[in-house]
Amino acid sequence: MTPMKWFFGFLKKYKKQMIFGLILTTFITALNIVNPYISGLIVDNVILGEAYDLLLPLIACMLGVVVLRGVMRFLYQVVFETASQGLLYDMRDKVYRKLLQEDFNFYNKKRTGDLMSRQTGDMEAIRHFVAYVIYISYESILLFGFALSMVFTVNVKLALCMLVVLPFTAFTTYLQSKEVKPAFQRNRNCFSSLNAFVQENISGNRVVRAFSKEDYETEKFNKENDAFRSAQIAASRVWMKYLPVFEILAYALNIILMLYGGFMVIHGEISLGNLVTVNGYLWMLNNPLRMAGWLVNDIGNFVTSVEKIHATYSEEPYVKTPPSGVVKKLNGQIEFRDVSYKADDEDIVMDINFKVSPGQTVGIIGSTGSGKSTVMNLLCRFYDATSGQVLVDNTDVRDMDLYNLRDNIGMAMQEVFLFSDTVEGNIAYGRPDCSFEEVKKAAIMADANHFIMAMPEGYDTIVGERGVGLSGGQKQRISLARALLKEPSILILDDTTSAVDMETESYIQKQLKNIEKNCTIFIIAYRISSIKDADLILVMDKGRIIEQGTHESLLAQNGYYAAAFSNQYGEIPEEFLQKGGR
Ligand code: ATP
Ligand code: MG
């Protein structure tokens, strides 16, 4: 679907409103003809013809027209304004829903600031088009058409003479429209880039301060700011260049009327009243010509914005829910069959094979970047395996309803994200309708209750974006409570206890053992102590599972795991460790 077709799809819903608005515009424009016509009558009949008794009715008519026009103008502005806001609401909603469906691949590549620009600046250009540009363009064409036809009724030769400007206007419009689009594309790109920069810097402002990089960032900001200013000026230059041309063409009409119209009055071809009438229509002929430059500009801006929003909207996620995917409460039986995953042709994980029965606990250990989180991402279908199969309850995850699959999984991610909300709201995120008692129970299991209670407003304390105001370990525990509260069939704890002390960790482990037996648990950790009691331990290195088994069997293998164990417990010499790891 082309971007314009996509846009008109949204406009369809407001078709009736828009047509009503355009009918009103037609009436208002037609009413514009009345007053200059009456002015002509006053000159010819009242002033020159001395029919003074006509003056009052004619003036009353003129006043009536002004009032009627005012009322109609108010009405059509309401119509266009509500239609544009409604259309924008629908479009924002649709684009936002699509953004929620996009997969990790999409978000890995996109900058938040860019996406924000689509939802703000670009949407505004579309609103402006619907609220103003459509009716002003229509009004301009009507004004010109009506006025010209009135001039034709006064005198054909004069009207034809005034038409001379039209080819010049059309040619100038064509030239401007050719220049406007690239200028606006550059402008929108620079706007996005500036937005993305500012957004990243505000999010990363703690890093900037910690490294005293304020000057460096300011310099980078100045470059972005400069680029945007230049792009703005370049875009403005386009209309600045063409506006005088439209202005000259508009004035040419005045000159034609004065010269040729005056000549015709002198030679008695038209009356003085006719000249006054045509002069009254002059602004109706002038204005559209003057507006042409602005309209071409606004239309260029609108087209660029629609194209940009549509390009973001039309990116299809690789990971999609199947049309009639399996929906059920899962038992948590998991199998990876020869699973490999490549990103941009680079092997990330290879030949992953393991089986887990419902209710078992799996520990995953391995060097940093060895693919532990990726394996879990494949299980949640944040990515799809390049080859092989990920099976949950003997069903390929690709045949399951995506939302049902994720609904059955509770995940405490490695990078904890908390929303700007209360602590309670953050914990209850997966089950907003649960009771406070349940929230508290989950917090107790995650060893979070006591520090939450010590906070100024307990569970009602608002935590900032990303959990500002909490320590790393506290954030991890809130995130753990959030995952536990879901009472999932599969619980994934990715490095969830890395920032808590040993005592807290062993408390949490005890709590996890108390979880009902039908929850399969994955624990990714660096510390052997976090996983050694697991039913199955996967040891990962360079994207592969290099060892798997229980703690005892792995120790007996005397490989990477045994080396890591001895290193952490200080028994095996360092050189043994060189066997594994990166
Ligand atoms: P850590 O212990 O540090 O969390 P990890 O074992 O969880 O590491 P992963 O996050 O799974 O490691 O990443 C494994 C490797 O794959 C890393 O080198 C990472 O840079 C790369 N990687 C992961 N996902 C992608 C992706 N979508 N595109 C490109 N590279 C990726
Ligand atoms: Mg990881």
Side-chain angles (χ1 to χ4, degrees):
M1 191 187 281
T2 63
M4 281 304 133
K5 254 193 181 165
W6 180 71
F7 165 77
F8 283 111
F10 286 98
L11 205 56
K12 244 186 207 159
K13 186 172 158 194
Y14 300 94
K15 203 163 83 184
K16 280 187 192 149
Q17 258 166 289
M18 297 298 286
I19 291 175
F20 178 60
L22 292 177
I23 291 174
L24 281 178
T25 312
T26 316
F27 274 115
I28 296 169
T29 318
L31 283 177
N32 280 323
I33 305 167
V34 179
N35 281 359
Y37 183 73
I38 296 176
S39 306
L41 286 181
I42 291 174
V43 171
D44 280 347
N45 300 315
V46 181
I47 302 175
L48 300 175
E50 296 182 9
Y52 298 118
D53 51 336
L54 280 178
L55 185 62
L56 269 181
L58 288 175
I59 296 282
C61 258
M62 283 176 109
L63 270 175
V65 166
V66 170
V67 173
L68 193 61
R69 259 182 51 190
V71 172
M72 283 185 158
R73 193 168 277 274
F74 168 77
L75 268 179
Y76 87 45
Q77 246 147 15
V78 170
V79 167
F80 282 112
E81 195 60 43
T82 47
S84 72
Q85 292 293 357
L87 181 137
L88 214 66
Y89 176 91
D90 297 344
M91 194 180 265
R92 258 198 311 258
D93 183 64
K94 196 138 194 180
V95 173
Y96 179 69
R97 278 169 200 273
K98 189 68 187 285
L99 285 178
L100 286 185
Q101 284 169 16
E102 293 294 354
D103 54 26
F104 277 28
N105 280 312
F106 176 89
Y107 285 102
N108 286 347
K109 287 180 187 134
K110 292 279 186 285
R111 295 197 297 178
T112 315
D114 271 343
L115 299 175
M116 295 295 295
S117 310
R118 296 295 92 79
Q119 285 287 55
T120 54
D122 288 319
M123 289 280 177
E124 180 49 35
I126 292 175
R127 196 196 68 79
H128 179 71
F129 179 79
V130 179
Y132 299 103
V133 180
I134 291 183
Y135 86 71
I136 289 181
S137 308
Y138 179 69
E139 192 182 55
S140 298
I141 294 169
L142 277 187
L143 270 180
F144 197 86
F146 279 152
L148 198 67
S149 48
M150 288 312 284
V151 181
F152 264 106
T153 62
V154 171
N155 189 286
V156 175
K157 273 202 283 181
L158 184 61
L160 286 176
C161 215
M162 289 179 119
L163 268 183
V164 165
V165 292
L166 271 193
F168 295 102
T169 315
F171 185 61
T172 318
T173 309
Y174 166 74
L175 288 183
Q176 188 189 356
S177 63
K178 260 179 61 177
E179 275 188 55
V180 149
K181 210 170 160 210
F184 270 116
Q185 271 166 347
R186 243 189 343 266
N187 185 317
R188 301 315 303 173
N189 288 342
C190 288
F191 176 70
S192 283
S193 183
L194 179 69
N195 244 1
F197 181 87
V198 172
Q199 188 275 331
E200 243 172 58
N201 253 262
I202 292 174
S203 305
N205 107 310
R206 284 165 187 77
V207 182
V208 176
R209 303 238 178 136
F211 285 81
S212 294
K213 291 297 241 183
E214 285 89 344
D215 289 344
Y216 171 73
E217 291 299 334
T218 310
E219 208 174 291
K220 267 170 67 182
F221 174 76
N222 285 343
K223 271 190 197 152
E224 295 283 348
N225 207 4
D226 248 12
F228 182 49
R229 183 183 55 184
S230 308
Q232 286 272 56
I233 292 175
S236 308
R237 272 210 189 113
V238 177
W239 63 256
M240 282 196 266
K241 196 164 79 184
Y242 288 100
L243 227 53
V245 183
F246 287 110
E247 200 70 24
I248 290 167
L249 288 169
Y251 268 104
L253 284 181
N254 291 33
I255 296 168
I256 292 172
L257 181 65
M258 281 306 125
L259 280 179
Y260 192 59
F263 176 82
M264 290 176 103
V265 172
I266 293 166
H267 287 83
E269 288 186 48
I270 55 170
S271 70
L272 186 60
N274 288 154
L275 187 65
V276 171
T277 304
V278 176
N279 194 48
Y281 292 133
L282 202 57
W283 72 269
M284 290 168 68
L285 297 165
N286 275 341
N287 243 24
L289 295 187
R290 281 206 197 94
M291 288 305 295
W294 294 106
L295 292 176
V296 171
N297 214 45
D298 285 348
I299 292 169
N301 197 6
F302 156 76
V303 171
T304 312
S305 292
V306 172
E307 283 174 357
K308 284 216 160 275
I309 298 175
H310 183 253
T312 307
Y313 176 81
S314 56
E315 274 191 45
E316 282 304 318
Y318 292 104
V319 178
K320 279 191 200 162
T321 190
S324 49
V326 178
V327 179
K328 61 174 184 181
K329 172 87 182 144
L330 301 174
N331 293 323
Q333 187 197 349
I334 290 148
E335 185 180 352
F336 272 59
R337 257 188 224 159
D338 296 323
V339 173
S340 296
Y341 173 66
K342 279 182 193 212
D344 300 327
D345 269 344
E346 198 190 327
D347 289 320
I348 306 290
V349 290
M350 286 89 63
D351 310 322
I352 305 293
N353 283 292
F354 67 89
K355 260 187 186 178
V356 189
S357 306
Q360 281 194 323
T361 298
V362 183
I364 309 182
I365 197 164
S367 51
T368 176
S370 56
K372 305 180 292 294
S373 300
T374 305
V375 169
M376 290 300 101
N377 288 339
L378 291 168
L379 175 58
C380 300
R381 257 200 103 194
F382 292 137
Y383 302 110
D384 270 338
T386 315
S387 62
Q389 273 187 306
V390 177
L391 302 148
V392 177
D393 291 4
N394 290 318
T395 311
D396 192 311
V397 285
R398 285 169 289 206
D399 298 328
M400 280 187 179
D401 181 89
L402 189 58
Y403 305 102
N404 177 69
L405 169 72
R406 291 182 189 159
D407 222 26
N408 276 280
I409 299 177
M411 188 175 200
M413 292 192 172
Q414 191 167 17
E415 285 160 25
V416 177
F417 185 92
L418 300 181
F419 293 95
S420 319
D421 192 1
T422 58
V423 172
E424 186 184 351
N426 266 294
I427 296 178
Y429 187 70
R431 277 179 58 204
D433 49 352
C434 71
S435 69
F436 174 70
E437 295 316 310
E438 287 173 290
V439 171
K440 194 166 170 185
K441 192 175 142 211
I444 291 172
M445 282 180 76
D447 200 24
N449 182 52
H450 65 275
F451 80 77
I452 296 171
M453 292 307 277
M455 288 163 86
E457 288 172 59
Y459 281 83
D460 293 328
T461 312
I462 303 266
V463 287
E465 224 182 355
R466 267 170 287 254
V468 175
L470 295 172
S471 77
Q474 288 171 337
K475 277 192 270 185
Q476 282 189 338
R477 278 176 280 167
I478 289 185
S479 143
L480 173 61
R482 176 163 70 188
L484 290 171
L485 184 65
K486 259 182 104 178
E487 293 178 352
S489 308
I490 301 162
L491 179 67
I492 300 172
L493 309 180
D494 193 348
D495 222 15
T496 305
T497 50
S498 62
V500 302
D501 57 69
M502 298 291 243
E503 203 182 322
T504 311
E505 188 188 16
S506 85
Y507 169 86
I508 292 172
Q509 272 174 1
K510 264 190 224 139
Q511 297 298 316
L512 291 179
K513 281 190 189 125
N514 292 337
I515 294 184
E516 288 166 44
K517 280 282 159 272
N518 56 5
C519 177
T520 308
I521 306 176
F522 285 87
I523 303 173
I524 299 181
Y526 286 113
R527 284 190 215 142
I528 300 265
S529 61
S530 312
I531 53 147
K532 73 178 196 335
D533 295 332
D535 301 297
L536 172 70
I537 296 170
L538 307 175
V539 184
M540 291 202 63
D541 188 40
K542 295 177 187 142
R544 291 177 194 276
I545 295 176
I546 50 167
E547 294 167 16
Q548 58 176 296
T550 58
H551 175 69
E552 286 72 26
S553 72
L554 288 172
L555 279 186
Q557 279 185 34
N558 225 5
Y560 180 99
Y561 184 82
F565 176 76
S566 306
N567 188 40
Q568 288 184 15
Y569 290 85
E571 282 169 22
I572 290 186
E574 186 72 19
E575 69 265 17
F576 195 83
L577 275 170
Q578 304 305 322
K579 260 179 81 174
R582 281 195 170 217

